[in-house]
Amino acid sequence: MLAHTKHSARPRLLALFSHPDDESFLAGGTLAKYANMGWAVYLVCATYGESGQRGEYEDLSVNEFANIRRAELETACKHLRIHSPMFLDCADRAVGGICLNSATKQVLHIMRRLEPDVVITFGPDGISGHPDHTALSRIVSGAFWAATVHAFRGHRRRASLYYALRSSSVPEGCRQNERIEPPRLTTTIDIAEVGEQKLAAIRSHRGQRHLQPSSETAVQAILSTPEHFHRAYPPIGETALETELLLPRSRLGAQQVA
Ligand SMILES: [Zn+2]
């Protein structure tokens, strides 16, 4: 499942989302931008999204459709120029249920092995409130603390944790969690230079036809709208806004390494 190693001089960014397409809509521009800057960018996808809308694939079996979505995500990662995705092999809608223990163990293992400098995942609101999103937020947040803060073992590492927020490039059809407020916007990433890569990644998810941009306005929103995040750790001032992901101080020297 995990073919990548942590041994690289480059800064490492690890994004964890629940279904193929989450990564492209929420953070595709940011993943592409930092990969183009020379960072090693990894993606974990908890499920194959086999319960999602079928579009042109409605005659396929569940397994066949899962394979299609897996291949679509592989293609999206190529457009973003990031590592091939790692999957937790959870059933769709089971991340916080039957898959909880397995997903928790795998995420912790991946974090300890990759030792990411920056982690991106869902916030507690899960954008839409989908149970796989909110469960993954809890799993990743817990693993982040367990894997990056070893203060009592003498080798505390520093890393940054970000929660993805909704921006206007997220399809209107994606509903808003009405029970949990999204975290405050702290971080705006300009993705205009990689907008075409983000658009190509989104279009790789062909089965999700209902989410594809259907107007020039929607295309322009994807191409040019900055992506939004909340920096959960380290803490940021109540009104502060940043325009770059925070690389831990100990890794700043590596940022120049391509
Ligand atoms: Zn999702």
Side-chain angles (χ1 to χ4, degrees), residues 167-221:
S167 74
S168 55
S169 68
V170 172
E172 286 183 4
C174 174
R175 67 188 175 88
Q176 179 70 46
N177 184 346
E178 292 173 352
R179 288 178 297 128
I180 302 176
E181 281 268 312
R184 180 178 84 77
L185 171 67
T186 63
T187 311
T188 299
I189 305 294
D190 184 342
I191 59 106
E193 282 187 11
V194 292
E196 292 288 351
Q197 282 179 258
K198 177 175 178 175
L199 181 62
I202 285 173
R203 286 187 164 149
S204 301
H205 297 289
R206 290 176 49 208
Q208 303 307 293
R209 189 182 289 169
H210 62 295
L211 297 177
Q212 295 296 327
S214 56
S215 67
E216 187 54 30
T217 305
V219 168
Q220 285 305 320

Side-chain angles (χ1 to χ4, degrees), residues 18-19 21-22 122 130 133:
S18 297
H19 312 103
D21 77 30
D22 293 338
F122 298 103
H130 189 297
H133 296 185

